[in-house]
Amino acid sequence: MTQDLSQAHQHEHQAVPSDLALRVKALESLLVEKGLVDRAALDALVDAYEHKIGPRNGARVVARAWSDPAYLRRLLNDADAAISEMGFGGMQGEHMVVVENTAGVHNLVVCTLCSCYPWPVLGLPPVWYKSAPYRSRAVIDPRGVLREFGLQLSEEVEVRVWDSTAEVRYLVLPERPSGTEGWSDEALSALVTRDAMIGVAKISLPRVGSAA
Amino acid sequence: MITLSQPDSIDGTENITPAPSFPQDDGGPVFAEPWQAQAFALAVKLSEQGHFTWKEWTMALADELEKAANRGEPDDGSHYYEHWLAVLERLVADQGLSDPAAMLARKEAWADAYRHTPHGKPVELPTTIERHPAPSTKPQRREIV
C-alpha cells in the first residue's frame, strides 16, 4: 500500500480506529503476547470463513441426497457421518440433524437464544438470522415469517420449527424441484440456496433454462 | 419478493398485526468490518484450546443478547458482534487470561500509537506496556495493522 504523501492532506497521523476495533486489537495483542492464540491461525480461520466455508458446502450435501437414495438415508439417520463423508466438519458441525421437506411438511430453523447454526455446511449465519425479531417470530408466527420471505404455504402444509442449540444444529433438506431429472450433482447443487437450507425459501428452477 | 425492510410493499391484508421486522440480506460479506472477523476468530480459537466450551460460549452470548433486549436496545442483528465482543472480554477476564484494566490500558496504548504514527507507516505498539507500567523507550515491536 503506498500513500501519495505529496497530496495536500490535512492530517499527518493515522486515523484512530473505532472503539470496538481498538478493543479487539487490545484483546488480540494481549492474547497473542501470552501465547494463548496464534495470529496466523486467527487469519487462517477468518480466511476460511470468508472464502471456503459457506452454503456451497451444504448445497453439495443436498444435491447428493437428491440424487443418491442411499446417501439420503445415511444423511437422515446420521447427519454427522454423512456430512463428514463429503469432507465437511468442525466447529458447530457436531450433532447435526437434517430435516426433510416434503409435499406435506415444511421445516424452518431458528436459534431462539442466540445464533447457533451449522457452520461447516452453511458458513456463518446471515444478519437477519441473528436478529431478535426473527429469533422470536419464527417460533410464534412461522407462516407470517415465511410470507415475509415471499413464501406462501398452503394451510395443509405442516410447518415444523426447529430451535438450534449448542448441542444440536439443523439443516433443512429442501424438496427437489421437478424438471431436474437426470441432472448432475453439480447442476443440482447450483440450484440450492442458503435460505432454502434454513427453511425460509423453496427451491425453484431458474426461469430461463440455463441448467448447468 | 416481499421484503420486510419495505413494509409498504406488503399487501395490506398481511399487515394487520404490526410485528418487529427483521433485516433481509442478499448474501453480503460474512463480516461487515475486520474487527468482527478478529473477534469471531478469537472466540473460536480460545474455545478450541479449551478455555471455555462452545456451550459455555453460547450460553454467555444468549445471556448478553437477552440483557441487551431487556435494556430496550433494538436488536436487528447489526449489533451482534458488539455483544460478541463484550462476551469475549468477559470470558477472557473470567478465565484469568487477562483483566479489564489490562484490556483498557492496551486499548488506550493502541489509540495512542495510531495518533502518533505518521501516515504510511505501520502502527507500532511500545513493547513493554503490559509488563513494565513505567514508560519505556525500548525498541518497538511491529504489529500487523
Side-chain angles (χ1 to χ4, degrees):
Chain A
M1 176 179 58
T2 53
Q3 291 266 350
D4 186 357
L5 295 175
S6 66
Q7 269 184 342
H9 219 267
Q10 290 301 321
H11 27 272
E12 295 165 11
H13 299 286
Q14 313 236 359
V16 179
S18 71
D19 187 67
L20 291 161
L22 286 171
R23 280 163 59 194
V24 177
K25 282 189 80 69
L27 255 185
E28 187 189 85
S29 60
L30 286 168
L31 296 171
V32 166
E33 230 165 66
K34 292 187 174 181
L36 293 166
V37 290
D38 173 54
R39 187 165 276 132
L42 294 172
D43 290 347
L45 185 77
V46 168
D47 182 66
Y49 278 95
E50 283 184 327
H51 303 293
K52 300 186 186 92
I53 303 171
R56 288 302 97 211
N57 292 359
R60 286 179 52 202
V61 169
V62 168
R64 182 156 172 211
W66 281 346
S67 62
D68 178 348
Y71 184 75
L72 170 64
R73 276 196 300 279
R74 294 203 293 283
L75 186 65
L76 296 177
N77 289 334
D78 183 353
D80 293 346
I83 287 167
S84 68
E85 259 182 63
M86 302 283 286
F88 310 131
M91 281 291 292
Q92 294 240 19
E94 316 89 2
H95 316 303
M96 299 250 320
V97 170
V98 171
V99 288
E100 186 181 20
N101 282 355
T102 63
V105 175
H106 185 89
N107 295 284
L108 176 66
V109 178
V110 65
C111 173
T112 55
L113 281 182
C114 50
S115 52
C116 297
Y117 194 72
W119 293 356
V121 280
L122 291 186
L124 296 181
V127 170
W128 55 260
Y129 185 87
K130 301 178 282 194
S131 73
Y134 179 77
R135 290 189 283 118
S136 60
R137 290 183 49 214
V139 176
I140 301 165
D141 178 24
R143 285 175 196 275
V145 164
L146 291 175
R147 270 198 301 276
E148 289 168 33
F149 276 94
L151 182 57
Q152 180 84 43
L153 291 179
S154 125
E155 285 303 314
E156 283 91 71
V157 175
E158 180 192 347
V159 177
R160 294 183 187 158
V161 181
W162 302 88
D163 192 1
S164 306
T165 64
E167 279 95 25
V168 186
R169 279 166 285 261
Y170 301 93
L171 180 75
V172 174
L173 178 65
E175 278 181 280
R176 178 175 179 164
S178 56
T180 58
E181 293 73 22
W183 284 29
S184 69
D185 279 13
E186 199 185 337
L188 288 171
S189 78
L191 293 175
V192 183
T193 64
R194 176 198 68 197
D195 287 2
M197 292 182 282
I198 302 174
V200 295
K202 280 176 171 284
I203 292 172
S204 50
L205 288 180
R207 248 169 251 169
V208 187
S210 53
Chain B
M1 156 88 101
I2 295 166
T3 62
L4 268 179
S5 51
Q6 299 165 312
D8 291 345
S9 69
I10 296 174
D11 179 55
T13 55
E14 305 283 349
N15 209 15
I16 297 164
T17 315
S21 66
F22 45 87
Q24 303 220 0
D25 73 350
D26 52 359
V30 175
F31 302 106
E33 294 178 49
W35 68 265
Q36 299 178 352
Q38 290 162 328
F40 166 76
L42 283 171
V44 171
K45 283 291 164 195
L46 289 178
S47 177
E48 275 180 5
Q49 284 154 25
H51 296 292
F52 42 81
T53 67
W54 201 251
K55 185 172 183 189
E56 286 167 333
W57 171 265
T58 55
M59 285 168 64
L61 182 59
D63 184 53
E64 187 72 25
L65 294 174
E66 194 185 352
K67 279 185 195 153
N70 291 342
R71 287 194 298 265
E73 292 176 21
D75 182 2
D76 60 0
S78 63
H79 297 284
Y80 176 77
Y81 278 106
E82 293 171 32
H83 302 310
W84 182 286
L85 174 57
V87 173
L88 182 60
E89 288 171 334
R90 177 148 58 86
L91 289 186
V92 161
D94 287 352
Q95 299 299 314
L97 306 178
S98 186
D99 61 84
M103 290 184 239
L104 183 61
R106 179 58 60 93
K107 186 188 90 170
E108 280 164 6
W110 273 116
D112 215 43
Y114 274 87
R115 280 186 211 107
H116 293 96
T117 305
H119 262 313
K121 295 255 173 93
V123 177
E124 295 164 345
L125 197 63
T127 359
T128 45
I129 279 173
E130 169 96 334
R131 287 159 230 139
H132 307 278
S136 165
T137 52
K138 283 182 184 167
Q140 307 212 314
R141 183 173 51 78
R142 293 204 153 194
E143 288 282 346
I144 300 162
V145 287

